[in-house]
Amino acid sequence: MKKQVEDKKAALLEAALKLFTERGFHGTSTAQISKEAGVATGTLFNYFPTKEDLINGLYFEVKEELSRRMGKDVQTQKTYKEKLRKMWYNLVEWGIENQEKFHFVGQFCSSPYISSHTREVVMEEYVFFHDLAMEGLKNGELGDYPPEMITSMFYQSSRTIVDYILHSEPQDRNKAIEDGFQVVWKGVSKK
Amino acid sequence: MKKQVEDKKAALLEAALKLFTERGFHGTSTAQISKEAGVATGTLFNYFPTKEDLINGLYFEVKEELSRRMGKDVQTQKTYKEKLRKMWYNLVEWGIENQEKFHFVGQFCSSPYISSHTREVVMEEYVFFHDLAMEGLKNGELGDYPPEMITSMFYQSSRTIVDYILHSEPQDRNKAIEDGFQVVWKGVSKK
DNA sequence: ACTTAAAATGACTAATTAGTCAATATCAGA
DNA sequence: TCTGATATTGACTAATTAGTCATTTTAAGT
């Protein structure tokens, strides 16, 4: 019975991801989500007491998945530049593999339907990212810019490159990913 | 009588800008917009036959205003780098002065409620931007990246810097704007 | 002051919404 | 097979929605 429960909850989250990304929060009814997930309208509310709880739960799950992917194998890299490059590839490749999730977080990161509590809990998962910027500033690898500016430029540039790859469909994706890293690295590194 | 008409239409557009930006398209009712604008619920539909016509009209107006500002005094600059810097300052300063409009275009540029017709008409206003990238590639000022990648990086970086300035509130805004330009220029320029 | 055409109004409607709840289905353990 | 706790269902409700339209108001020209 536990298995079934997880199936339905996962189906609801998947349906919500698709529809919220396509049509927005108020543009999607709970009935549409239930139908897409293949459950009754009442079932949604067994798992998520309100529509806002659903989008907050979804946002948390997706951001958590992204943070795990971003940090993967970063600390095993030899140089600072290699660490940043690894994180860049993790981020962009995840974005291409998970277009809907990538688009979803971009769309709802500053939405009023995501509670400040959710935002705070999610933020904790990204401390390592801020710390990596601080490390680069201390060891002189990065230009003398505020750390928040560096992390924002890095992350937003990844969104730009993912959108570019998905929309312009360049013949060589890996070239585009590497080009993107070169632009960002030249931009934020010292000298 | 003409004066009054323009007043009401402008009030509706201003109210729509505020509410759509805050709560999204489906998160805002036409009744709320009319109330915010200080007109009756029926009056909105005298100016905009449907809610979608309203958001499309608003999107067109705002994007047109931005394109005019972006291109201002750019061609009178001496060097290529000065042209790009001028455009950067135009863009970022407009974003800071017009937070709601800047946020609005960022939020709705890939929304399904903006018609492809609106998108096409707006695109024509930005040909000069693409041309400036092509110019930089031809004269060897810019690195060998696809022009769409360069224009996207430039524009998205401006959004990042505007958000950074509005959110982190650095003591010296001009320093932050110039820092932002330095990062972008180092990133996309040759050598 | 009178005329007239356009502009403004807000009560109204049919459709849709988030969320409820009483009834039904499921299934592990006895 | 029977029991009881839990999961699922979908008809239902009260509230809200975009858009309509008959009526009233406005104001420019005479």
Side-chain angles (χ1 to χ4, degrees):
Chain A
M1 190 178 259
K2 189 66 185 302
K3 184 74 179 305
Q4 290 256 355
V5 161
E6 291 306 314
D7 279 358
K8 292 211 195 308
K9 190 172 180 182
L12 282 163
L13 286 167
E14 195 184 321
L17 171 68
K18 181 188 169 191
L19 295 171
F20 284 151
T21 305
E22 273 175 11
R23 313 289 309 174
F25 180 71
H26 275 111
T28 305
S29 69
T30 55
Q32 286 176 301
I33 296 167
S34 298
K35 192 177 181 185
E36 176 80 24
V39 302
T41 63
T43 303
L44 188 152
F45 298 97
N46 292 337
Y47 296 99
F48 307 97
T50 68
K51 198 183 174 187
E52 294 213 348
D53 287 323
L54 169 58
I55 199 170
N56 276 269
L58 177 60
Y59 185 80
F60 175 74
E61 277 219 353
V62 173
K63 285 287 272 190
E64 200 184 31
E65 181 185 322
L66 174 56
S67 84
R68 279 200 303 273
R69 178 69 168 264
M70 268 181 80
K72 206 177 179 192
D73 301 329
V74 166
Q75 289 306 330
T76 64
Q77 304 297 310
K78 293 183 197 89
T79 67
Y80 185 76
K81 185 177 178 181
E82 286 304 312
K83 284 184 192 172
L84 261 201
R85 193 208 297 277
K86 183 69 190 174
M87 190 174 280
W88 175 264
Y89 273 76
N90 286 343
L91 186 47
V92 173
E93 284 169 353
W94 184 85
I96 293 168
E97 291 163 22
N98 302 275
Q99 304 181 29
E100 269 176 358
K101 289 176 182 173
F102 202 69
H103 199 172
F104 173 79
V105 297
Q107 214 183 326
F108 289 98
C109 64
S110 55
S111 149
Y113 313 113
I114 305 300
S115 72
S116 49
H117 174 256
T118 300
R119 250 176 256 283
E120 280 163 30
V121 175
V122 163
M123 196 95 80
E124 287 167 28
E125 308 267 343
Y126 289 85
V127 170
F128 77 96
F129 185 33
H130 184 264
D131 288 349
L132 194 65
M134 294 303 288
E135 184 187 327
L137 287 166
K138 280 210 178 98
N139 68 19
E141 295 268 8
L142 296 182
D144 195 21
Y145 308 113
E148 296 82 14
M149 194 174 122
I150 292 172
T151 53
S152 293
M153 288 290 280
F154 186 90
Y155 171 65
Q156 295 298 336
S157 295
S158 83
R159 293 189 58 202
T160 308
I161 294 299
V162 169
D163 282 350
Y164 167 74
I165 289 171
L166 295 177
H167 187 264
S168 297
E169 293 181 0
Q171 62 284 52
D172 190 347
R173 285 187 167 189
N174 288 329
K175 169 77 161 48
I177 301 176
E178 182 60 27
D179 278 355
F181 178 71
Q182 292 302 328
V183 170
V184 172
W185 176 254
K186 277 196 295 175
V188 300
S189 66
K190 201 112 185 179
K191 208 173 76 62
Chain B
M1 191 174 260
K2 190 67 187 303
K3 185 73 179 305
Q4 290 254 358
V5 161
E6 290 307 313
D7 279 358
K8 292 212 196 304
K9 190 171 181 183
L12 282 162
L13 285 167
E14 194 184 323
L17 171 68
K18 181 189 170 189
L19 295 171
F20 283 150
T21 304
E22 273 173 13
R23 313 289 308 172
F25 181 70
H26 274 111
T28 305
S29 69
T30 55
Q32 286 176 302
I33 295 168
S34 298
K35 193 176 179 186
E36 177 80 24
V39 302
T41 62
T43 304
L44 189 152
F45 297 97
N46 293 338
Y47 296 99
F48 306 97
T50 69
K51 196 182 174 186
E52 293 212 348
D53 287 324
L54 169 58
I55 199 169
N56 276 268
L58 177 61
Y59 186 79
F60 174 74
E61 276 218 353
V62 173
K63 285 287 271 191
E64 200 185 30
E65 180 186 322
L66 174 56
S67 84
R68 279 199 303 272
R69 177 70 167 264
M70 267 180 80
K72 205 178 179 191
D73 300 330
V74 166
Q75 288 307 332
T76 64
Q77 304 297 310
K78 292 185 197 88
T79 67
Y80 184 78
K81 184 176 179 181
E82 286 304 313
K83 284 184 192 171
L84 261 201
R85 194 207 297 277
K86 182 68 188 175
M87 190 175 280
W88 176 264
Y89 274 76
N90 285 343
L91 185 47
V92 173
E93 285 169 353
W94 184 85
I96 293 169
E97 290 163 23
N98 302 275
Q99 302 181 31
E100 269 177 358
K101 290 177 182 174
F102 201 70
H103 199 173
F104 173 79
V105 297
Q107 213 183 328
F108 289 97
C109 65
S110 55
S111 149
Y113 312 113
I114 304 300
S115 71
S116 50
H117 173 256
T118 299
R119 250 176 257 282
E120 280 163 31
V121 175
V122 163
M123 195 97 79
E124 288 168 27
E125 309 266 343
Y126 288 85
V127 170
F128 76 97
F129 185 33
H130 184 265
D131 288 348
L132 193 66
M134 294 302 288
E135 184 188 327
L137 287 166
K138 279 211 178 97
N139 66 20
E141 295 269 7
L142 296 182
D144 196 21
Y145 307 114
E148 296 83 14
M149 195 174 121
I150 291 172
T151 53
S152 293
M153 288 290 280
F154 185 90
Y155 171 65
Q156 296 298 336
S157 295
S158 83
R159 292 189 59 203
T160 308
I161 294 299
V162 169
D163 282 350
Y164 167 73
I165 289 172
L166 295 177
H167 187 263
S168 296
E169 292 182 0
Q171 62 284 50
D172 189 348
R173 285 187 168 190
N174 288 329
K175 169 77 161 49
I177 300 176
E178 182 59 29
D179 278 355
F181 179 71
Q182 291 303 328
V183 169
V184 172
W185 176 255
K186 276 195 295 176
V188 301
S189 66
K190 201 111 186 178
K191 207 179 76 71

